[in-house]
Amino acid sequence: MTNKEFLQIMATKERVVAGSPTHLKMSELSQEALKITAELNSSYHTPEEIRSLFSELTGKKVDDSFRMFPPFTTDCGKNITVGRNVFINAGCRFQDQGEITLGDGALIGHNVVIATLNHDLAPENRADIFPLPVYIGENVWIGSNATILPGVTIGKGAVVAAGAVVTKDVPAMTVVGGVPAKIIKTLE
């Protein structure tokens, strides 16, 4: 299975059965991501080297305005898309098989977790997974230690407070916080 075929299957949002060719491709891509992130996190790299390694990880050239402070981990890499002027702070963990998109100007705080997979609740099918994309809009700021769960869209200009657990879509130009995250205020 090619990376393109894998991404097309994951975009259907349908169940991925444990042991299936798609599941095996996930394992293959995880090993590649582990190798690249080990290099990224093992020593100092210039901003240019970080962009090069992140481009290798995602399989797409990132814009010269992209910035990141390692360490950073992901268990796939190939389903991450970042816009211009995106900043990812240290300690972030992405689970991107289901797709993660970061819009232009997105700011991702320390230790943010973005997850795109859920497991089946039935114990006999627990290893099966369901991918759902996460979309972070333009100029969104996600505070430190926030967790964004599968299927969430965060609207343009929104702010996610530190430590929030975002379980549902966030409207544009709002501030959300808490567990689960709720609207705290609207921005002008």
Side-chain angles (χ1 to χ4, degrees):
M1 174 180 296
T2 67
N3 289 351
K4 183 177 179 181
E5 291 168 332
F6 169 78
L7 295 176
Q8 288 171 336
I9 290 168
M10 297 307 281
T12 68
K13 304 176 189 175
E14 294 178 9
R15 175 192 300 262
V16 176
V17 176
S20 68
T22 304
H23 194 253
L24 296 174
K25 181 66 173 181
M26 290 175 72
S27 296
E28 175 189 320
L29 290 174
S30 292
Q31 291 305 305
E32 182 180 335
L34 287 169
K35 179 181 176 202
I36 296 167
T37 56
E39 169 64 23
L40 178 68
N41 299 327
S42 66
S43 64
Y44 171 78
H45 294 285
T46 66
E48 296 78 18
E49 291 168 333
I50 289 171
R51 283 192 295 274
S52 177
L53 285 164
F54 200 82
S55 294
E56 181 183 354
L57 178 66
T58 63
K60 308 171 205 79
K61 183 178 182 329
V62 295
D63 190 78
D64 287 344
S65 62
F66 173 78
R67 296 175 301 131
M68 178 175 33
F69 291 166
F72 172 83
T73 59
T74 188
D75 51 7
C76 181
K78 299 302 184 231
N79 218 356
I80 299 172
T81 302
V82 297
R84 293 181 309 276
N85 296 308
V86 168
F87 175 66
I88 300 172
N89 217 325
C92 291
R93 297 179 181 276
F94 288 10
Q95 179 195 54
D96 67 285
Q97 288 94 336
E99 184 184 2
I100 295 172
T101 302
L102 304 178
D104 292 346
L107 301 174
I108 312 300
H110 287 93
N111 302 314
V112 167
V113 173
I114 302 177
T116 65
L117 300 177
N118 273 321
H119 289 273
D120 195 300
L121 292 177
E124 63 275 11
N125 297 321
R126 189 69 42 87
D128 293 357
I129 57 168
F130 298 91
L132 288 172
V134 170
Y135 298 104
I136 310 298
E138 292 180 19
N139 299 310
V140 166
W141 173 22
I142 300 178
S144 296
N145 297 302
T147 299
I148 314 300
L149 295 182
V152 167
T153 295
I154 300 178
K156 182 177 181 178
V159 176
V160 175
V165 176
V166 183
T167 61
K168 61 184 179 180
D169 292 352
V170 175
M173 300 304 292
T174 59
V175 178
V176 298
V179 180
K182 293 178 177 29
I183 295 175
I184 296 171
K185 68 179 177 178
T186 300
L187 300 170
E188 299 292 321

